[in-house]
Amino acid sequence: MYKKSVEEGESMKVVVGISGGVDSSVSALLLKEQGYEVIGLFMRNWDANLNNDTLGNPTLNENICPQEQDYNDALEVCKKIGIPLKRIDFVKEYWDYVFTYFLDELKHYRTPNPDIMCNKYIKFDMFAKEAKKLGADYIATGHFARLKDGKLLRGVDNNKDQTYFLSQVSKEQLQNVLFPVGELTKAEIREIAKKHDLITASKKDSTGICFIGERNFKEFLKNYLPNIPGNIVNIETDEVLGTHNGLMYYTIGQRRGLNLGGNEDRMFVVGKNVKDNILYVADGDENDYLYSDSCIIDQVNFISDERPTKCSAKFRYRQKDNDVELVYMDNGEILVKYPQGVKSVTPGQACVLYLGEECLGGGVIKEVRKNDEKVWYL
């Protein structure tokens, strides 16, 4: 789908999502060099001063996302490249489709991935519609991914591949999409940015969720969800080791932030008892409680036409590929089997399916199982 250059005499307009980071900066630069008419579009997805007068939500007066600095960097890049930059406000849409989903999942003590929903509902839906209003033939983003013959392929840089986060985007949404940096490594991208003296060349990659930014996760959530403290219990000995601040703050496999004193370095979160508000931990990251051998996924989205019974899967971003067997259920859900055992498979997280280099799509982990039974402590 990605055209290397525009044919002579052809005029093709591309609207590029400019975030203020180096990847989107180089994406815009490459497209301009290849002969496209390029427009930058900066998305404002979060309001650091949400209050009752805007969306009817709790007041939050701290600067969570450094969006203004990002916008200034994006403006500087676009001036350097010689393309216009427009700004669009998706604050309400982001709240309705991404942040509300995030909170609802936490209320059910699951571990959500809002970045995946942001791609589905904002970047490849709302953004694409706005680009169409601007007369775009294509939209482009700085994702490390590739499109070839209608297939979504991993980015060349395996350490930066972002197809995991695109797993809920539909095949239709990926039509007329360009991923200009998908064929490059991160080092090559930074080198291109330095060569062209872009202000973002050495800018640190953003990490975590935008609306939380560098703030403490627990402190941020206090604005929206009440703390319900409870006991931290050793699942093997039934010994109470400490107190947690609320089950929603913890995820399976977590070790840091448990405040267990001398036990901090060897205890891992292995489960949650919602009924009794207990956070279960166990000794060591290789303990049997962290492992499961199958899971059920719902909200299944296939980008590919392939429906294999055997493929590989990632249950977390940057996790290595795991060989899996798929059993398609009549209700649209999929039983994903991995008899070799996989550690820290977590309800609410994405299970993303691959066939070699191709990202087939994925679903959300609904239930984790071991020996054909639902894991009782999850």
Side-chain angles (χ1 to χ4, degrees):
M1 189 66 71
Y2 174 49
K3 298 177 68 176
K4 294 296 183 184
S5 61
V6 177
E7 299 294 333
E8 186 175 353
E10 187 179 19
S11 178
M12 302 295 283
K13 184 180 290 187
V14 183
V15 174
V16 186
I18 301 287
S19 66
V22 67
D23 301 330
S24 61
S25 300
V26 170
S27 294
L29 172 68
L30 293 175
L31 291 168
K32 178 72 182 298
E33 288 183 339
Q34 289 155 9
Y36 290 94
E37 179 187 350
V38 182
I39 298 174
L41 187 59
F42 182 90
M43 289 175 282
R44 179 174 175 265
N45 294 333
W46 185 259
D47 186 348
N49 296 292
L50 290 176
N51 55 52
N52 291 325
D53 295 329
T54 53
L55 298 177
N57 305 312
T59 299
L60 183 58
N61 293 316
E62 296 188 44
N63 182 20
I64 298 168
C65 284
Q67 286 188 101
E68 286 307 312
Q69 183 59 54
D70 288 340
Y71 176 70
N72 290 336
D73 290 345
L75 196 59
E76 187 70 25
V77 164
C78 289
K79 287 180 181 178
K80 187 79 175 180
I81 296 173
I83 64 172
L85 178 65
K86 299 183 181 295
R87 186 169 179 164
I88 185 71
D89 192 324
F90 289 136
V91 172
K92 188 177 188 308
E93 292 83 355
Y94 193 88
W95 180 279
D96 290 342
Y97 292 102
V98 181
F99 190 63
T100 298
Y101 157 82
F102 174 75
L103 293 181
D104 286 345
E105 287 289 275
L106 289 175
K107 288 175 184 176
H108 290 89
Y109 306 103
R110 289 154 56 99
T111 302
N113 196 315
D115 293 335
I116 290 177
M117 294 303 161
C118 180
N119 282 324
K120 179 178 181 178
Y121 292 113
I122 306 298
K123 293 180 181 177
F124 292 89
D125 186 0
M126 306 293 180
F127 174 88
K129 290 173 182 174
E130 192 65 28
K132 192 171 183 178
K133 292 178 185 177
L134 295 172
D137 297 293
Y138 296 98
I139 65 168
T141 70
H143 284 95
F144 284 87
R146 295 174 293 154
L147 286 167
K148 184 176 181 180
D149 299 327
K151 295 181 178 182
L152 178 63
L153 306 179
R154 304 179 203 247
V156 167
D157 191 334
N158 286 328
N159 290 323
K160 293 293 183 178
D161 170 55
Q162 291 176 309
T163 52
Y164 181 91
F165 298 107
L166 299 172
S167 58
Q168 284 290 326
V169 176
S170 71
K171 187 172 185 176
E172 291 71 28
Q173 286 177 303
L174 289 173
Q175 291 179 2
N176 302 319
V177 170
L178 307 178
F179 295 127
V181 299
E183 300 280 354
L184 302 173
T185 66
K186 188 72 176 192
E188 289 171 331
I189 289 170
R190 290 202 180 277
E191 189 59 36
I192 291 170
K194 288 177 183 177
K195 179 182 176 181
H196 290 82
D197 194 30
L198 299 184
I199 192 172
T200 55
S202 299
K203 187 174 181 179
K204 182 180 176 183
D205 289 342
S206 60
T207 57
I209 304 166
C210 175
F211 52 75
I212 294 177
E214 302 300 324
R215 290 189 62 203
N216 180 281
F217 180 66
K218 296 177 183 178
E219 290 299 317
F220 172 80
L221 283 185
K222 283 181 181 178
N223 292 279
Y224 305 95
L225 299 174
N227 291 344
I228 307 177
N231 288 333
I232 299 177
V233 174
N234 186 325
I235 197 170
E236 298 174 301
T237 66
D238 212 30
E239 178 186 3
V240 176
L241 301 179
T243 303
H244 66 75
N245 296 318
L247 294 178
M248 61 191 170
Y249 297 132
Y250 305 88
T251 189
I252 306 305
Q254 179 178 334
R255 174 170 65 90
R256 299 190 182 281
L258 302 181
N259 297 320
L260 295 179
N263 294 316
E264 182 78 18
D265 291 336
R266 58 187 181 85
M267 287 294 179
F268 290 76
V269 174
V270 297
K272 304 174 182 181
N273 181 331
V274 175
K275 179 176 177 292
D276 297 322
N277 196 27
I278 295 173
L279 184 72
Y280 287 116
V281 297
D283 196 341
D285 67 342
E286 294 302 322
N287 66 74
D288 187 57
Y289 290 97
L290 280 175
Y291 285 82
S292 59
D293 57 29
S294 65
C295 69
I296 293 175
I297 62 173
D298 61 8
Q299 302 178 51
V300 176
N301 174 65
F302 271 103
I303 300 166
S304 173
D305 294 329
E306 299 283 348
R307 297 293 186 276
T309 55
K310 292 185 178 180
C311 61
S312 65
K314 290 180 183 292
F315 300 99
R316 295 193 181 206
Y317 179 53
R318 295 190 187 280
Q319 185 185 54
K320 70 177 183 66
D321 281 36
N322 302 278
D323 291 333
V324 298
E325 179 182 345
L326 306 181
V327 179
Y328 298 89
M329 304 167 72
D330 292 339
N331 63 359
E333 297 175 351
I334 299 177
L335 173 63
V336 183
K337 295 183 177 181
Y338 37 94
Q340 74 276 21
V342 176
K343 185 168 66 175
S344 303
V345 177
T346 307
Q349 284 282 359
C351 168
V352 181
L353 307 173
Y354 293 88
L355 199 58
E357 288 295 292
E358 183 182 5
C359 176
L360 304 176
V364 178
I365 300 166
K366 174 184 178 182
E367 184 178 297
V368 179
R369 304 175 69 88
K370 186 185 294 185
N371 300 324
D372 295 324
E373 294 184 356
K374 179 180 178 182
V375 178
W376 65 269
Y377 45 86
L378 284 177

